[in-house]
Amino acid sequence: MVTLDVRPQLLDALSALRERVAAARFPLPLAGAPRARANRDELLAQLDDYLVPRLREPEAPLLAVVGAPPEPASPHW
């Protein structure tokens, strides 16, 4: 069985994606512009903080946060 290391290609693709996302500008005062900028920033943060570092260091410990939303308070009659 042959195992291929596709990480270099993935890193190249993610780097190209990151450049394009970072270059996206939303300068017009349109209703969706603030949300588009926030989405861009969130995607860049995911790429920078999680995806790219994980591909560079696949043996690094995996950090997972497990949680659930708080339960709504029950009325006390």
Side-chain angles (χ1 to χ4, degrees):
M1 179 177 183
V2 176
T3 303
L4 299 175
D5 185 6
V6 297
R7 282 179 291 149
Q9 293 90 347
L10 284 173
L11 280 169
D12 289 345
L14 285 176
S15 294
L17 173 65
R18 193 204 181 288
E19 287 176 16
R20 289 182 176 99
V21 170
R25 299 288 177 250
F26 306 96
L28 299 177
L30 301 174
R35 185 68 201 144
R37 286 190 287 271
N39 286 340
R40 177 200 57 212
D41 295 343
E42 289 171 17
L43 178 54
L44 290 172
Q46 289 292 315
L47 289 168
D48 293 343
D49 296 341
Y50 300 106
L51 291 172
V52 172
R54 190 72 190 160
L55 281 172
R56 285 193 178 131
E57 295 292 333
E59 302 304 319
L62 179 62
L63 174 64
V65 177
V66 178
E71 302 238 353
S74 22
H76 299 285
W77 303 101

